[in-house]
Each structure stands twice: as structure tokens, then as C-alpha cells.
């Protein structure tokens, strides 16, 4: 397939395409039989097949999905942690090798792989979650025991790396490790059901800050082994990702990450002091889903982006730290639903979520609603009340100072990137005016998903011929049907020839 690469690159350059990425979620990477514990990962040796194929076909990068740690009951990477990487990405076989100190017994590894249920081309998440938990617990116990005996070699080297990693990452690592330890201590109950002293550990009542800080220290000491085990898993996951990135670079490929819009439960717990307790983020009515989508994600408090003297507030600092963490690990990033950073659609907690999301509004665009007016940036005279409030033109004008306020969080993400062009914003069918102004501020574009193109509308947003140089054109995205199924539907409904002619005319 190597001859395809120069032909394809020439065609892409002629079209002015600057990035050509192959998108693949982490769990969908191939796992070879001797390393398959139920889930794929870029860190497995099977990923080399993907890198070779992508390079041969002319791609210049790999677009990964969100890489955060997930829970036993929820495998969605879009609900994963924002800082801690998924331990399920770790390649287990190297941990059983002499080079790594053989911290995992070959017998344990063999049993986890042999016990893998289901067909090999499907993720066995429940098995994988338990298998990795067992394997990493054995690795941590072996590491502690052999370090206590004063072993040198691989164990001493791992200890040195772990101490450095914990020092560099303490700002997020300790709180995530503590969340894991407390989740087990409270029998797996959600953090909102924990006793107040643990539930409000990062959002203490006024005057209780010192007591909360002292309790955090005491808990870290009491759960020292569990905290270290989580840190060890994170070190292994981060080092494995760095090795994958090195292999990708050797194949001439960039690695792009995915910054999801939502906060995981562990991140909400740690951020409870600067989220709005009575609101949740979702998606408004749209072409994709006319009823909207009640995602249930926490909403950062705009009032805590800046402090009383204009200094950086905790909400802005959180987003800046998140972006810095992401761009340390990747060459670029897909920004999932940037509306969530600029003009999130919010709804109230307490009623039926599906009904509430339909009655929702954009957080900063609603000076006409008493429950959102104190947070509004847009002014009443800047609204087009002839339109539904979810319409792109609901806000019809903004001055530069207002745009700067809308842009605060997305500005922090772009500032962390190697360049603005390394941020891909997942803007699909909706592009509200405030978001358009913020994207224009950085020369950023939108997504043109060709399988969604409406051939009856020349101005359809998904048609590639309507793309601007800063836009991203793609066959599909993470929530569309596989192209083979789409092509079969086109053949069945008689539109295949029209789609082929449109694509041929574009080329």
C-alpha cells in the first residue's frame, strides 16, 4: 500500500488540506491474542498495525478518543476523568517481563487473557475492568514488598520514577487517588451519599477550610498504600502513552487527543466549590436530536473565572490545568462540544431531565430569564426574540469586551496548544453567534461531516464544498454510523450515485 501515500498526499495538498487524521477510540485498537484481556489500547503492541496502516495510507496523525479513567459501571470515555488516564490502557505483558522486574506473574497474566469472554472483535469491558484491577493490585503489592526488601535494578528504577511523577503531578494525582480510596471505603456509593466530611472535602463550608485541609492530609496518610497504588498505575499509563506517541512519531504520525465537554464524577467532587449546584449542561434541540439531550454534566460557575481583583479564579485555573495536562500528552486535540466552554445549554435540576432540557437556555445568553440573568453576558437588546432561544441567531450582536468574556475558557485551551490550528472544535449543526465570534478570534473552524450532508440543500453545513480553510472535513465522527452501513443505505435508497458525483466534483 506504500504507493498510495504520495498519491493521496498530493491530492490532499491540492485541496489545501493541512491535517489528515485517522480517528480511533482507544478501546478499538487491535489486541494480539497474547495481550488481549478484553479491551484494546494504543499501548498494546497490536497498535503498531494501526500505525503502519495509517502511515502507508498517507495519514499524518492519529485522533484518539478521551483517555480518562472510567468506572466499573460506566465505560463511556466521555464520562471519564479529566486528569487520570485509564488504567485499562496499560499493556500488561511487559509488566510480567524481567525488564520491568516481573511484577506481574505470568500465571496471573495467562489467566486474565484465557478468561476473556465474548468474540475477540468486541470489548469485554466488565471482564477487562476486573482483570486490570486484579493485575495492577498484584503489581503494586509486589512493588511494595520488593522495595521494602531493598531490591535494586528495575524495582529501584521504578521507585525513582514514581517519586518524580508523584512530585510533578501532586496537584491532580492526590485528589484522584483519594477519590478512589474513599469510593472503596464507602462501599462504592456515589460521592454525594458520603458523610459530609468526605463529601465536602474540596468544598468546605466557610470557616471550615483548615479542617478540610487537615482531613485531606490525614486521609492521604491513612490510605497511603491505596494512594501509592493509584499513582503507580497512573505512572505506568502515562509512560505507556509516551511510548506510543514515540512509535507514532517514528511512523511520521502526530497524536491528537480528545478534550470531552463533561466532568467525571471524581472531577465534580474535586471541583464542587466552583460548579453551579442547581444546573446541568446538555444539548439544545437540534437537527440531530429535536428534543435536545439531557447530559447531566456539571456546569462551571462563570462567576468564579476571575477573582474580586481580576485575578485568575478557580474555574479558569481548572480549565487551564486541564488543557496544559492534555497538550503535554498530545500534539493536538479535538475539543468536544466547545459550546460547553463558551455558551453552554443548561437546565435546572429537580424535574424530569428530558422536559427540563427542552425548557433550558444558554447560560450566558439569557438576560431575559430571572434564573440566569445574573450570569448573562449578552444584553436584552442584543437578542432576536423572533427566534427560538436555541437558534444560532438568538444573540445577534456583541461588542469586543463581551466576546472576550465569552472566550475566557476557550482562550485558556488555545493558549496551551502548540498553535491554534492544533485545536479542532467539534461544531456540528449548531454554531451560536457567541461561539462563532470566539472561534473567529482564533481562526478556528467547524466540522463538516460528509455522511450527514443533505443533497437537497446547497447551503447545508455538512457539505464539504461549503468548508472554509480552517474547517475539518470528515466521513463520520464518534456518534455516526459506520461508513459501510451508510453506503449500504445510500445504495438502498438510490442516493449513492448523487453522493458519488458530489464527492467526485469536490475532488
Amino acid at each position: 500500500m506504500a504507493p498510495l501515500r504520495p498519491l493521496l498526499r498530493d491530492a490532499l495538498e491540492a485541496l489545501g488540506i493541512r491535517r489528515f487524521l485517522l480517528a480511533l477510540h482507544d478501546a478499538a485498537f487491535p489486541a494480539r491474542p497474547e495481550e488481549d484481556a478484553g479491551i484494546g489500547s494504543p499501548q498494546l503492541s497490536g497498535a503498531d498495525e494501526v500505525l503502519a496502516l495509517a502511515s502507508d495510507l498517507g495519514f499524518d496523525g492519529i485522533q484518539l478518543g478521551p483517555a480518562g479513567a472510567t468506572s466499573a459501571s460506566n465505560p463511556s470515555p466521555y464520562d471519564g476523568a479529566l486528569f487520570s488516564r485509564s488504567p485499562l490502557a496499560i499493556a500488561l505483558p511487559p509488566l510480567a517481563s524481567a525488564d520491568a522486574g516481573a511484577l506481574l506473574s505470568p500465571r496471573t497474566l495467562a489467566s486474565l487473557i484465557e478468561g476473556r469472554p465474548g468474540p475477540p472483535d468486541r470489548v469485554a469491558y466488565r471482564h477487562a475492568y476486573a482483570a486490570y484491577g486484579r493485575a495492577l493490585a498484584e503489581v503494586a503489592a509486589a512493588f511494595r514488598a520488593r522495595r521494602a526488601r531493598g531490591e535494586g535494578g528495575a524495582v529501584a528504577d521504578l521507585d525513582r520514577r514514581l517519586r518524580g511523577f508523584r512530585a510533578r503531578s501532586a496537584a491532580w494525582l492526590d485528589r484522584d487517588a483519594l477519590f478512589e480510596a474513599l469510593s472503596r471505603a464507602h462501599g462504592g456509593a456515589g460521592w454525594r451519599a458520603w458523610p459530609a466530611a468526605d463529601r465536602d472535602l474540596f468544598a468546605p463550608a466557610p470557616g471550615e477550610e483548615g479542617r478540610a485541609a487537615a482531613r485531606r492530609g490525614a486521609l492521604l496518610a491513612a490510605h497511603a498504600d491505596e494512594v501509592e497504588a493509584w499513582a503507580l498505575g497512573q505512572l505506568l499509563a502515562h509512560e505507556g502513552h509516551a511510548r506510543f506517541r514515540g512509535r507514532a512519531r517514528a511512523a511520521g504520525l502526530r497524536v491528537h487527543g480528545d478534550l470531552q465537554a463533561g466532568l467525571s464524577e471524581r472531577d465534580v467532587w474535586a471541583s464542587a466549590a466552583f460548579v453551579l449546584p442547581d444546573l446541568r449542561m446538555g444539548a439544545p434541540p437540534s437537527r440531530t436530536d429535536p428534543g435536545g439531550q439531557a447530559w447531566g454534566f456539571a456546569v462551571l460557575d462563570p462567576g468564579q473565572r476571575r477573582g474580586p481583583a481580576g485575578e485568575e479564579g478557580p474555574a479558569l485555573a481548572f480549565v487551564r490545568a486541564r488543557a496544559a495536562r492534555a497538550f503535554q500528552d498530545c500534539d493536538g486535540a479535538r475539543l468536544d462540544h466547545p459550546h460547553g466552554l463558551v455558551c453552554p445549554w443548561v437546565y435546572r435540576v429537580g424535574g424530569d431531565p428530558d422536559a427540563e432540557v427542552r425548557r433550558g437556555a444558554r447560560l450566558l445568553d439569557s438576560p431575559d430569564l430571572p434564573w440566569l440573568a445574573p450570569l448573562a453576558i449578552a444584553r436584552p437588546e442584543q437578542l432576536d426574540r423572533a427566534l427560538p432561544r436555541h437558534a444560532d441567531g438568538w444573540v445577534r450582536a456583541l461588542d469586543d469586551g463581551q466576546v472576550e468574556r465569552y472566550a475566557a475558557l476557550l482562550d485558556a485551551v488555545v493558549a496551551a496548544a502548540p498553535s491554534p490550528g492544533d485545536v479542532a472544535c467539534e461544531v456540528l449543526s449548531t454554531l451560536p453567534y457567541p461561539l462563532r465570534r470566539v472561534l473567529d478570534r482564533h481562526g478556528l473552524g467547524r466540522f463538516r461531516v460528509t455522511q450527514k450532508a443533505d443533497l437537497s440543500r446547497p447551503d447545508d453545513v455538512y457539505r464539504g464544498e461549503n468548508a472554509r480553510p480552517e474547517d475539518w472535513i470528515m466521513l463520520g465522527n464518534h456518534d455516526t454510523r459506520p461508513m459501510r452501513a451508510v453506503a449500504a443505505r445510500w445504495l438502498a435508497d438510490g442516493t449513492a450515485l448523487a453522493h458519488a458525483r458530489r464527492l467526485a466534483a469536490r475532488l
Side-chain angles (χ1 to χ4, degrees):
M1 285 183 289
L4 286 176
R5 182 178 177 88
L7 293 175
L8 188 53
R9 294 307 308 170
D10 288 348
L12 293 173
E13 290 174 6
L15 291 171
I17 292 176
R18 295 170 291 175
R19 294 274 187 270
F20 188 41
L21 306 182
L22 174 64
L24 194 64
H25 274 278
D26 293 26
F29 274 80
R32 291 171 178 156
E34 67 274 14
E35 60 185 3
D36 184 2
I39 193 167
S41 165
Q43 300 183 28
L44 299 175
S45 61
D48 290 341
E49 300 170 22
V50 174
L51 297 178
L53 178 65
S55 180
D56 286 346
L57 290 177
F59 289 96
D60 60 11
I62 299 289
Q63 171 68 66
L64 302 176
T70 52
S71 66
S73 61
N74 185 355
S76 173
Y78 289 93
D79 293 325
L82 299 185
F83 292 86
S84 286
R85 299 188 73 86
S86 173
L88 276 64
I90 297 169
L92 295 179
L95 298 176
S97 71
D99 290 344
L103 295 172
L104 179 64
S105 78
R107 180 177 299 178
T108 298
L109 177 61
S111 70
L112 299 179
I113 292 172
E114 290 167 3
R116 185 229 200 277
D121 61 345
R122 305 295 295 177
V123 171
Y125 183 79
R126 189 182 298 273
H127 170 81
Y129 195 93
Y132 274 81
R134 178 182 165 192
L136 294 176
E138 181 176 304
V139 168
F143 170 68
R144 283 196 303 272
R146 292 167 60 179
R147 181 182 58 187
R149 293 197 297 267
E151 285 194 22
V155 171
D157 182 58
L158 180 58
D159 184 46
R160 176 189 57 78
R161 301 195 323 266
L162 178 60
R163 284 186 279 109
F165 177 71
R166 293 188 69 175
R168 295 190 303 274
S169 309
W172 61 266
L173 186 58
D174 285 351
R175 70 180 185 234
D176 280 12
L178 199 52
F179 180 87
E180 290 291 315
L182 289 174
S183 293
R184 283 190 289 272
H186 296 304
W191 66 269
R192 292 175 181 83
W194 296 354
D198 293 343
R199 182 194 65 216
D200 302 330
L201 205 57
F202 288 92
E208 294 294 311
E209 294 85 358
R211 187 178 306 222
R215 179 160 178 77
R216 289 196 297 270
L219 287 170
L220 287 168
H223 296 279
D225 285 351
E226 292 174 90
V227 169
E228 182 180 73
W230 182 258
L232 178 59
Q234 286 303 301
L235 171 67
L236 297 173
H238 280 77
E239 289 184 340
H241 174 75
R243 286 191 292 272
F244 167 74
R245 192 176 177 192
R247 283 150 48 206
R249 284 177 170 171
L253 299 167
R254 299 162 53 89
V255 174
H256 284 229
D258 194 327
L259 281 69
Q260 75 263 34
L263 275 66
S264 71
E265 282 299 287
R266 82 182 65 223
D267 292 301
V268 179
W269 171 70
S271 309
F274 50 90
V275 299
L276 296 170
D278 299 324
L279 297 179
R280 297 291 183 269
M281 179 170 63
S286 69
R287 168 175 165 175
T288 303
D289 195 330
Q293 300 174 27
W295 291 336
F297 290 140
V299 181
L300 295 174
D301 182 355
Q304 298 201 55
R305 295 178 180 180
R306 295 287 177 187
E311 74 277 15
E312 184 169 272
L316 179 55
F318 179 82
V319 171
R320 193 179 303 281
R322 160 65 170 147
R325 172 71 266 169
F327 287 107
Q328 286 173 18
D329 292 343
C330 297
D331 303 302
R334 169 189 177 274
L335 184 56
D336 175 55
H337 195 67
H339 315 57
L341 294 177
V342 176
C343 50
W345 183 266
V346 300
Y347 59 96
R348 288 185 277 196
V349 175
D352 173 60
D354 292 332
E356 291 295 338
V357 78
R358 289 192 293 272
R359 290 193 288 264
R362 295 199 185 277
L363 181 68
L364 306 176
D365 300 1
S366 306
D368 58 323
L369 293 178
W371 55 286
L372 290 179
L375 300 171
I377 295 176
R379 298 188 294 270
E381 68 273 14
Q382 295 173 319
L383 307 181
D384 187 346
R385 295 170 187 262
L387 297 175
R389 64 175 59 252
H390 64 266
D392 287 356
W394 168 255
V395 176
R396 59 186 179 184
L398 293 169
D399 61 44
D400 289 344
Q402 289 173 299
V403 173
E404 186 170 357
R405 291 172 63 196
Y406 271 104
L409 300 184
L410 197 141
D411 281 358
V413 173
V414 173
S419 72
D422 294 313
V423 177
C425 291
E426 190 218 20
V427 175
L428 298 175
S429 60
T430 61
L431 179 55
Y433 178 76
L435 179 57
R436 178 164 66 82
R437 289 288 304 274
V438 172
L439 296 184
D440 288 347
R441 174 184 174 96
H442 296 291
L444 297 173
R446 66 186 301 167
F447 282 12
R448 311 282 181 170
V449 185
T450 59
Q451 69 164 271
K452 292 186 175 186
D454 184 346
L455 299 186
S456 68
R457 292 181 52 191
D459 64 342
D460 183 59
V461 297
Y462 290 128
R463 296 180 66 135
E465 58 266 39
N466 293 327
R468 300 184 300 175
E470 61 269 26
D471 292 339
W472 293 75
I473 301 175
M474 59 198 65
L475 295 178
N477 62 344
H478 71 282
D479 57 0
T480 53
R481 301 176 71 197
M483 278 309 300
R484 180 174 294 184
V486 173
R489 188 189 73 226
W490 289 347
L491 288 169
D493 65 18
T495 62
L497 182 59
H499 281 285
R501 284 174 172 163
R502 180 179 67 84
L503 292 173
R506 175 64 179 160
L507 293 172

